[in-house]
Amino acid sequence: TAPNVILQVQDLAVSYGHIEAVKGISLTLNEGEITALVGANGAGKSTSLLAISGLVKATRGKVIFNGEDLTQQSPHRIVGSGVVQVAEGRATLTTLTIEENLSLGAYTRKDKAAVAGDLEWVYSLFPVLKQRAKGLAGNLSGGEQQMLAIGRALMARPKVLLLDEPSMGLAPLIIQEIFRIVKEINKTGMTVLLVEQNVRQALRIAQRGYVLETGKIVLEDTGANLLHNPKVVEAYLGG
Ligand code: ATP
């Protein structure tokens, strides 16, 4: 049976002043899959995610989630409907504890009993966060702060998780760990849109992928096919 489409981006464009950073991209996210959006620095990956989250305004195009048009809705409404972006730059609240940061992720939820269960789930994904639950987020390493940022987004119980370069600036072993956890999160059935400059790793765990160049989608295929596509190999995987 054909997979169920959970999120559809149609001809989405975003401009900063006179510069069109995203030039009409279309993406289809199948429910329960990891979709990778890869490309070089400045290709427009972050801008695309911000437009899906409602944090920047699209100048054209649509974002359809489960048949509902999210395009001109507020970021708050978009989170409420289940499309949740992991905060960029690991923007954890450094003067709050880890537990407080995680609780903030769930602040709009009404199902408080389920929140407690989700906290245990996040702690099982990231045992280091449980060990240090009462410690300040500001004392975490870069990798741990990234884990906290992901954990906080999970506390909103997303239906679609938007991840903006989770591996950025991290040491190789931590990067492996982050990709392993993204895969594990996906195994629970959560749909993931994974933006990455780490093209090889992203395509390895993604069922499908898109390659973005200067604001346009230039390739789209399964993750496995893209990994072996000569254009991808030459441009992104070091020949
Ligand atoms: P990176 O990996 O560097 O974040 P990216 O693929 O995510 O790259 P974007 O950050 O979306 O790319 O940037 C796309 C283009 O838009 C770039 O040319 C960038 O310089 C420009 N841009 C991004 N943010 C702004 C902004 N706030 N104001 C003006 N131009 C911007």
Side-chain angles (χ1 to χ4, degrees), residues 16-17 19-22 39-48 50 88 164-165 168 195 197 212:
Y16 297 111
I19 298 165
E20 194 171 50
V22 175
N41 227 320
K45 304 182 299 296
S46 300
T47 302
S48 303
L50 291 170
E88 213 195 345
D164 193 2
E165 298 201 32
M168 189 162 66
V195 159
Q197 275 188 66
L212 191 65

Side-chain angles (χ1 to χ4, degrees), residues 43-144:
K45 304 182 299 296
S46 300
T47 302
S48 303
L49 277 196
L50 291 170
I52 294 170
S53 307
L55 294 166
V56 302
K57 286 278 165 241
T59 45
R60 171 173 98 238
K62 279 194 170 153
V63 177
I64 310 286
F65 168 68
N66 269 337
E68 183 192 358
D69 189 347
L70 296 185
T71 319
Q72 297 303 334
Q73 294 192 9
S74 69
H76 179 81
R77 275 280 309 269
I78 293 172
V79 169
S81 60
V83 178
V84 180
Q85 180 164 0
V86 173
E88 213 195 345
R90 291 145 218 159
T92 55
L93 299 166
T94 53
T95 61
L96 297 184
T97 67
I98 286 148
E99 200 169 271
E100 286 164 343
N101 268 278
L102 291 172
S103 302
L104 277 176
Y107 86 105
T108 56
R109 289 174 59 180
K110 310 258 182 314
D111 52 338
K112 295 301 173 196
V115 170
D118 286 348
L119 183 62
E120 284 316 308
W121 175 53
V122 168
Y123 282 152
S124 72
L125 284 172
F126 304 107
V128 65
L129 298 182
K130 183 166 189 173
Q131 285 155 26
R132 304 183 60 179
K134 307 290 180 198
L136 293 182
N139 294 334
L140 295 176
S141 69
E144 291 162 350

